[in-house]
Amino acid sequence: MNSTQIKKNNPITISEEVFGTTRDGVSVKSFTLKNEKGMEVSIITYGGIITTLKVPNKKGVSEDVVLGYKSLASYEKATPYFGALIGRYGNRIANGKFSIDGKEYALKTNDGSNHLHGGVKGFDKVVWTAEVLKDKGALKLSYLSKDMEEGYPGNLNTEVTYTLTNDNTLEVAYQATTDKKTIVNLTQHSYFNLSGDFSKPILDHIVKINADTFVPVNRTLIPTGELKDVANTPFDFREPKTIGQDINADNEQLKRGLGYDHCWVLNDQNEGIRFTSSAYEPNSGRLLEVFSDEPGIQLYTGNFLGGTLPNKQGGIYTNRTGFCLETQHYPNSPNQKDFPSTILKPGDTYSTTTSFKFSVK
């Protein structure tokens, strides 16, 4: 392992080691960013995956708070996208089809009849090119998605920069350009359990979401097109409440997702980067706050985790032992003219930023 000390006014260290080799024989590297406050994050070039993220609890003890695996082989198997970069399109597209300027495109379907998280081999399953940005305490990952990869038009050049700061914030900045009109909706798919104990469910985490409406879905989890007021529903997180408070309510939307697996329509969409959501775990005292310029956020409560996936702390992951807060555009936006557009044109730059800020209280 080699380690590089960043400038004294930004004491972030970045170390590098080999994480493994893919089944296709491609070497995968792991980069670990550490700050002076006890926070560290490890990211591998396969899928841009965050494999570990350690932050202090209220006693000052740093523990890993993201679900994942110990081995590359486990990530290469069928996986619930632990820690991965998601693209070209995060979330679902109905029947894997959309049209641009009257031309229909057919994407690979990998979620029943629907397209999910970029398809059979999305950005979560490719090896990215890494560049250490020493003066910024950052890791930049790059990937060229070629024209018609998974059915998407255009050669898409994508860069994702992970930056660690000394206030225990991990910033994820996305940029993309294309040579043909296409659709883009990138996100980060880490599963958090702020207790640091992945055998414990996340139902006691206290969540707040800055959203007055959410996106109802049909039986295959595709948006109906309606945006529904959260008032007097289990989807009202405008005031902090535990995930478990209403997750088992007699509600058709919850039944369809076996819990929360929905997109919220974030408030203040014209204000750029702003507070979107937070999660607090009382025993550890850890608080996660998420800031973004995206219009939506998907809360997924790990409803399908149970059964077989190896827990990196030992045993297996069970249902609802991790939750995701995925900043994004709404699902199936290319087929909903009233949803914010996900079209990217040649000459334009897709640019969005999300920050995960950790503290204790």
Side-chain angles (χ1 to χ4, degrees), residues 245-259:
Q245 178 174 315
D246 297 321
I247 198 170
N248 294 316
D250 185 10
N251 176 278
E252 184 61 31
Q253 285 294 309
L254 289 175
K255 291 176 183 177
R256 289 176 182 178
L258 298 183

Side-chain angles (χ1 to χ4, degrees), residues 19-70:
F19 189 76
T21 304
T22 68
R23 57 178 69 131
D24 296 328
V26 180
S27 179
V28 172
K29 294 180 179 179
S30 174
F31 295 85
T32 299
L33 288 65
K34 296 182 182 180
N35 70 9
E36 59 183 4
K37 300 288 180 62
M39 179 172 171
E40 68 176 76
V41 57
S42 295
I43 300 151
I44 58 174
T45 50
Y46 180 84
I49 291 169
I50 296 174
T51 56
T52 61
L53 197 161
K54 297 180 181 179
V55 291
N57 63 13
K58 60 188 176 184
K59 296 180 180 178
V61 179
S62 285
E63 296 170 303
D64 193 3
V65 297
V66 292
L67 278 58
Y69 301 124
K70 289 183 176 181

Side-chain angles (χ1 to χ4, degrees), residues 44-159:
I44 58 174
T45 50
Y46 180 84
I49 291 169
I50 296 174
T51 56
T52 61
L53 197 161
K54 297 180 181 179
V55 291
N57 63 13
K58 60 188 176 184
K59 296 180 180 178
V61 179
S62 285
E63 296 170 303
D64 193 3
V65 297
V66 292
L67 278 58
Y69 301 124
K70 289 183 176 181
S71 72
L72 179 59
S74 293
Y75 284 111
E76 284 192 281
K77 293 177 183 176
T79 173
Y81 305 95
F82 281 149
L85 294 177
I86 302 297
R88 290 186 189 189
Y89 197 95
N91 221 311
R92 294 172 175 85
I93 295 178
N95 300 312
K97 294 180 179 178
F98 68 97
S99 296
I100 297 178
D101 296 337
K103 181 177 180 179
E104 185 177 85
Y105 293 92
L107 304 173
K108 299 287 182 65
T109 54
N110 59 324
D111 184 50
S113 62
N114 300 320
H115 176 87
L116 174 65
H117 289 338
V120 175
K121 189 177 181 180
F123 286 5
D124 61 298
K125 296 180 181 69
V126 301
V127 178
W128 295 66
T129 299
E131 179 186 355
V132 174
L133 305 179
K134 297 179 182 179
D135 58 333
K136 297 180 179 179
L139 178 71
K140 183 169 74 174
L141 300 177
S142 304
Y143 178 66
L144 170 61
S145 176
K146 294 185 178 180
D147 184 34
M148 299 313 295
E149 184 172 296
E150 295 297 304
Y152 290 96
N155 290 294
L156 188 77
N157 275 292
T158 304
E159 292 181 351

Side-chain angles (χ1 to χ4, degrees), residues 123 145 148 192 196 213 273 282 345:
F123 286 5
S145 176
M148 299 313 295
F192 298 99
T213 52
I273 297 174
K345 302 174 183 177

Side-chain angles (χ1 to χ4, degrees), residues 139-347:
L139 178 71
K140 183 169 74 174
L141 300 177
S142 304
Y143 178 66
L144 170 61
S145 176
K146 294 185 178 180
D147 184 34
M148 299 313 295
E149 184 172 296
E150 295 297 304
Y152 290 96
N155 290 294
L156 188 77
N157 275 292
T158 304
E159 292 181 351
V160 181
T161 303
Y162 287 106
T163 303
L164 178 62
T165 71
N166 279 314
D167 68 349
N168 283 1
T169 295
L170 179 65
E171 179 188 278
V172 189
Y174 309 82
Q175 282 200 336
T177 57
T178 184
D179 61 1
K180 189 185 294 184
K181 194 180 287 189
T182 190
I183 59 171
V184 186
N185 183 32
L186 307 180
T187 192
Q188 219 295 331
H189 208 296
S190 285
Y191 288 71
F192 298 99
N193 185 324
L194 300 179
S195 75
D197 182 347
F198 304 147
S199 68
K200 291 182 177 179
I202 42 78
L203 300 178
D204 65 340
H205 285 56
I206 299 168
V207 167
K208 180 178 182 177
I209 301 176
N210 183 29
D212 297 330
T213 52
F214 77 103
V215 184
V217 294
N218 65 19
R219 293 185 184 279
T220 67
L221 303 182
I222 293 293
T224 62
E226 175 190 13
L227 302 180
K228 186 172 183 180
D229 196 316
V230 299
N232 302 310
T233 77
F235 295 85
D236 191 351
F237 284 90
R238 292 173 296 180
E239 293 298 323
K241 68 177 181 181
T242 63
I243 291 174
Q245 178 174 315
D246 297 321
I247 198 170
N248 294 316
D250 185 10
N251 176 278
E252 184 61 31
Q253 285 294 309
L254 289 175
K255 291 176 183 177
R256 289 176 182 178
L258 298 183
Y260 296 109
D261 190 6
H262 296 75
C263 186
W264 274 254
V265 177
L266 291 167
N267 296 335
D268 309 317
Q269 292 188 3
N270 296 321
E271 294 187 10
I273 297 174
R274 76 280 187 209
F275 171 84
T276 68
S277 55
S278 63
Y280 174 67
E281 201 280 312
N283 291 324
S284 69
R286 290 187 181 96
L287 173 67
L288 165 61
E289 297 170 286
V290 183
F291 300 84
S292 183
D293 51 11
E294 285 286 340
I297 194 166
Q298 185 94 358
L299 170 63
Y300 172 52
T301 47
N303 313 311
F304 302 97
L305 286 177
T308 60
L309 304 173
N311 184 331
K312 61 183 171 181
Q313 295 176 340
I316 59 171
Y317 290 111
T318 57
N319 286 342
R320 299 177 177 172
T321 51
F323 69 93
C324 304
L325 288 168
E326 306 159 56
T327 55
Q328 58 185 245
H329 276 60
Y330 315 154
N332 201 36
S333 289
N335 297 310
Q336 292 283 353
K337 61 181 176 58
D338 294 330
F339 287 4
S341 174
T342 55
I343 294 284
L344 178 64
K345 302 174 183 177

